[in-house]
Amino acid sequence: VKPFVIPSPSMEPTLVEGDRVLVNRMVYHFRAPQPGDVIVFHPPNTNSPDPFIKRVVAVGGDTIEVREGLLFVNGVAQAEPFIKEHPIAADFPSERIPEGHVWAMGDNRNNSGDSRVFGPVSLDAIMGEAFIIYWPLGHLQRL
């Protein structure tokens, strides 16, 4: 388990800047990431030395697309009550996620540098799954 501090508003309202979460670094040795998981990872195609935290929305073999303000996975519009605001501001063309990768997006879709910017995330780049907010105490909850 490793602590992680939320560095930006990209995961609002689920996680706010300054929240502290615990990250399970062993979970993906036993199972693959699944849509809905909140992951900490080293982003591809960036010069950022700091890890990012985002939500997995699709896995290898899936096709994603943003159109008409909605996220579509394999042609099905996703019900996403956890995102900050509807609609998603910009369309994103259909893209197939390669095997061994996930597509990660912030819950604050209109203010998130995520896979729409840096592309699919390799499973090897994932540090683990965030599973609980432990600080501040008023935000204590499982993810």
Side-chain angles (χ1 to χ4, degrees):
V1 174
K2 181 176 176 79
F4 183 79
V5 179
I6 306 307
S8 74
S10 72
M11 281 297 292
E12 289 179 357
T14 306
L15 300 167
V16 298
E17 194 169 352
D19 277 355
R20 287 166 170 72
V21 299
L22 293 178
V23 178
N24 181 336
R25 295 181 62 152
M26 295 296 295
V27 66
Y28 297 130
H29 292 282
F30 302 103
R31 70 166 178 87
Q34 303 167 3
D37 289 357
V38 176
I39 59 170
V40 175
F41 60 96
H42 296 287
N45 307 314
T46 69
N47 293 324
S48 175
D50 299 321
F52 283 22
I53 185 165
K54 307 288 181 199
R55 185 180 301 273
V56 174
V57 298
V59 297
D62 288 341
T63 300
I64 65 94
E65 173 181 18
V66 176
R67 66 179 150 84
E68 300 171 4
L70 297 171
L71 173 67
F72 288 79
V73 177
N74 299 324
V76 178
Q78 302 299 293
E80 299 184 293
F82 48 81
I83 72 173
K84 185 169 184 174
E85 58 190 357
H86 294 276
I88 301 170
D91 286 352
F92 187 85
S94 180
E95 184 168 334
R96 186 176 181 280
I97 313 309
E99 294 298 333
H101 291 75
V102 298
W103 194 263
M105 297 176 75
D107 289 356
N108 186 355
R109 299 284 160 82
N110 294 330
N111 188 23
S112 177
D114 52 37
S115 285
R116 293 170 291 176
V117 174
F118 51 71
V121 176
S122 168
L123 297 180
D124 294 335
I126 299 174
M127 297 170 58
E129 179 186 16
F131 65 96
I132 192 167
I133 303 169
Y134 71 89
W135 191 262
L137 290 177
H139 294 184
L140 182 67
Q141 69 176 343
R142 291 192 55 79
L143 294 171

